[in-house]
Amino acid sequence: SSGINAEYGSELNFPNQVAGAFQLGKATLDTAVGWHDMTHLLNQCVDPNPEFRPSALHITDLLSRADMLCLRGVYDPFNKVPVSLKEYCVIKQSEYETELWVKVRPSQKTDIPSGLAVISLSGLNIVQKSMIPINNVLCSTSYLKNTVFVGCSAGTIAVINAKTYRIEYKAEIKSKSSSQSTFALNILSMICMEELDPSYLVIGLGNGQIHVYSDNDIEKKFTTHQKVITVDKSNPITELAHCKENLLVAAHQVIHVFEVEHFKKIYCFDLNQQGLHQNHITKLCVMNHTVLVALHNASTVYVCKFKKNPSGHISSIETDERKTLNLATMLPALRSSPVDVPGPSFSLHDPALFQDFTSLDIRITSLVKFQRSVLLGLGNGMLLQLDTTTYKIRFMSRRHHSPVRVVVPYQVRGEIDEMLVATFGEDVVDIEGKVVPHSIACTWSIGDETESLSRYLDARRSMVHPHHH
């Protein structure tokens, strides 16, 4: 593999790190350097007992697996406490430190309270900084790096200082809506439009209303508001997104578009998925002139293109049927293994990826944009990376035993700055599919540089087989 090292070595830096390992009979790669699976494989290769060393064929297979080549580290920021993670928001505290604020609850009986954990992602380190005791968290959003607003049930907003991690105060949202149910005032979604002038916080409620607050209203502790708009009398507001001068509000399967100067409704788009009529929109991801939409417990990403009029407002949205990503048909199609040609590749998938799964197993549990791609976390612990130009799968792995609900891209300082992606889900599994005790987080090196690795391995493969296409 010296060829791989020579060309890709500047990024992976394997040769120097590995050189010292063999004298020790253990490949003790520095954890600060990462490459979790690689270290594991090197340890096996230098096992004093030859029977435990992997065969050359097995090594070639492993070195062709994308997840093997891209997994940087495995972590347990919760110090052996089994937890499940749900709603979260991300604050970029500085160029090289990203904070994840995530709702945590113990997944087994324990004295540890539920709350909001603050986890720092910097370099190859994932550590818990704080735990803020707060109940009934439904959503959260950060504001100008110094405040986090947390939406709770029954109309409670908690305002947390993002530097001290203290709850500064809690406010109660009042609403004149006719609905008396306790669910009506649940704050199900929130978004800060901080690059607007003035900037706004918008919250979406269980009663189908949105409430709009300016900086001034927030200073008055939410006793005043800019606007209260009833978007849908019979469906809750489940997701909010925005794109310059447009606010996108999702209620059931309809996206209502508002302009953000006077908050007048300017367009309405009904996704109208008949077979899934009970499923509401839970994910909206806006990139360029496209909004990606996913429904609750469903395994399809709808690619909706929008047009804007000269004043920058959305004037039409339509689903691009050809680009719709239906994972239930896409994933089994990848199962056919590539023709078995020796030589390195980047396209071998772990066979365990394709055990028969139900549509619920591959439901989309997170949807996040990342460089020129979009990342999907699935209910069965898979991570998929889709190229947003071709809408083909660029990378896939299944290294968690439970839904991947939290996916966080973040920047790392290095010889060349690099973007990593952290995924969180209970129980990380190693390259052989065994659970790594207590670990819940993985970091992945799947930025644009993996494309060069993939192209390089393809080229190597065609050198081994000049006539094989």
Side-chain angles (χ1 to χ4, degrees):
S1 71
S2 57
I4 293 189
N5 290 337
E7 292 202 24
Y8 204 62
S10 60
E11 284 167 30
L12 302 195
N13 221 342
F14 284 149
N16 320 338
Q17 291 156 11
V18 172
F22 295 101
Q23 299 136 22
L24 306 169
K26 196 149 179 63
T28 41
L29 283 188
D30 184 355
T31 45
V33 175
W35 310 111
H36 181 268
D37 288 344
M38 223 34 143
T39 310
H40 184 72
L41 179 62
L42 287 166
N43 282 337
Q44 290 182 320
C45 292
V46 296
D47 194 294
N49 182 343
E51 285 174 26
F52 296 141
R53 293 178 207 155
S55 69
L57 200 60
H58 184 58
I59 293 172
T60 311
D61 270 357
L62 287 182
L63 290 180
S64 296
R65 265 178 58 175
D67 57 338
M68 168 95 184
L69 295 166
C70 296
L71 178 64
R72 289 300 288 268
V74 171
Y75 308 87
D76 164 28
F78 291 100
N79 203 0
K80 303 188 177 170
V81 177
V83 292
S84 76
L85 310 178
K86 280 195 110 163
E87 294 74 19
Y88 69 98
C89 68
V90 173
I91 306 181
K92 195 170 174 189
Q93 284 289 14
S94 66
E95 200 177 354
Y96 300 111
E97 188 191 10
T98 298
E99 271 183 359
L100 164 67
W101 289 56
V102 59
K103 173 182 171 174
V104 173
R105 45 165 210 210
S107 52
Q108 294 169 9
K109 285 267 183 287
T110 160
D111 314 334
I112 293 179
S114 306
L116 209 55
V118 182
I119 292 173
S120 158
L121 309 169
S122 63
L124 286 180
N125 243 340
I126 295 189
V127 291
Q128 184 182 332
K129 277 181 151 176
S130 183
M131 183 69 147
I132 301 159
I134 177 169
N135 285 329
N136 308 326
V137 173
L138 298 174
C139 58
S140 60
T141 185
S142 67
Y143 182 57
L144 300 178
K145 295 189 188 175
N146 52 25
T147 307
V148 171
F149 297 116
V150 181
C152 305
S153 50
T156 303
I157 291 184
V159 178
I160 300 178
N161 181 318
K163 300 284 183 256
T164 63
Y165 309 127
R166 289 216 167 87
I167 299 177
E168 295 195 336
Y169 63 93
K170 288 182 178 175
E172 300 286 327
I173 301 301
K174 302 286 184 274
S175 168
K176 298 188 178 68
S177 97
S178 52
S179 166
Q180 292 305 309
S181 84
T182 49
F183 175 76
L185 288 181
N186 283 357
I187 299 171
L188 303 179
S189 47
M190 44 181 19
I191 191 170
C192 273
M193 297 188 285
E194 53 191 26
E195 61 275 26
L196 297 176
D197 184 22
S199 54
Y200 293 110
L201 166 72
V202 180
I203 66 169
L205 296 176
N207 61 10
Q209 290 181 345
I210 56 171
H211 291 212
V212 181
Y213 301 94
S214 67
D215 285 356
N216 201 3
D217 301 320
I218 292 165
E219 273 171 34
K220 295 181 184 159
K221 302 199 170 175
F222 295 94
T223 49
T224 56
H225 55 251
Q226 289 301 297
K227 284 267 192 270
V228 170
I229 300 164
T230 300
V231 179
D232 186 319
K233 288 196 171 70
S234 49
N235 290 298
I237 306 300
T238 50
E239 186 62 313
L240 297 166
H242 83 114
C243 152
K244 298 199 170 76
E245 33 296 291
N246 302 274
L247 169 69
L248 281 65
V249 179
H252 195 54
Q253 293 189 1
V254 179
I255 298 174
H256 303 263
V257 184
F258 292 82
E259 47 81 19
V260 294
E261 199 178 350
H262 307 291
F263 291 92
K264 295 229 168 6
K265 192 185 322 192
I266 49 177
Y267 189 73
C268 197
F269 169 70
D270 189 347
L271 195 63
N272 195 10
Q273 291 303 313
Q274 299 298 330
L276 295 159
H277 59 88
Q278 74 285 21
N279 295 21
H280 54 272
I281 294 173
T282 51
K283 309 269 182 294
L284 289 177
C285 180
V286 181
M287 36 209 315
N288 309 332
H289 280 72
T290 307
V291 56
L292 303 176
V293 186
L295 300 178
H296 179 60
N297 279 350
S299 53
T300 301
V301 179
Y302 301 95
V303 179
C304 305
K305 299 268 187 240
F306 56 81
K307 291 193 175 72
K308 289 181 173 181
N309 60 21
S311 59
H313 294 141
I314 290 176
S315 55
S316 78
I317 303 182
E318 47 191 51
T319 311
D320 184 338
E321 302 289 351
R322 291 168 320 164
K323 291 194 170 145
T324 298
L325 300 160
N326 182 338
L327 297 181
T329 52
M330 247 173 129
L331 291 177
L334 294 167
R335 184 180 301 188
S336 52
S337 49
V339 185
D340 203 14
V341 213
S345 82
F346 189 68
S347 57
L348 279 190
H349 300 303
D350 167 16
L353 282 177
F354 300 110
Q355 292 156 340
D356 289 329
F357 33 68
T358 65
S359 57
L360 206 58
D361 291 338
I362 54 168
R363 69 189 186 278
I364 295 160
T365 48
S366 55
L367 176 65
V368 174
K369 52 183 175 186
F370 172 56
Q371 292 172 336
R372 287 168 297 134
S373 70
V374 61
L375 301 167
L376 302 179
L378 305 188
N380 64 355
M382 276 173 96
L383 170 69
L384 298 182
Q385 181 181 29
L386 291 157
D387 189 300
T388 45
T389 344
T390 60
Y391 287 93
K392 289 197 163 65
I393 291 183
R394 209 163 88 180
F395 171 82
M396 60 193 288
S397 67
R398 185 181 177 191
R399 286 309 199 65
H400 294 280
H401 256 189
S402 69
V404 176
R405 290 204 177 89
V406 181
V407 175
V408 186
Y410 69 104
Q411 192 168 357
V412 188
R413 182 186 280 144
E415 290 164 39
I416 326 165
D417 281 359
E418 171 184 23
M419 291 293 288
L420 294 185
V421 172
T423 55
F424 292 78
E426 296 163 60
D427 286 347
V428 175
V429 292
D430 67 16
I431 193 85
E432 274 118 21
K434 296 191 193 78
V435 171
V436 182
H438 309 301
S439 53
I440 63 157
C442 294
T443 48
W444 299 96
S445 197
I446 50 175
D448 291 336
E449 63 281 347
T450 49
E451 286 179 81
S452 56
L453 173 62
S454 171
R455 279 197 303 272
Y456 169 69
L457 289 171
D458 287 346
R460 280 289 297 265
R461 205 177 174 90
S462 58
M463 276 158 47
V464 180
H465 284 265
H467 308 302
H468 187 89
H469 294 295

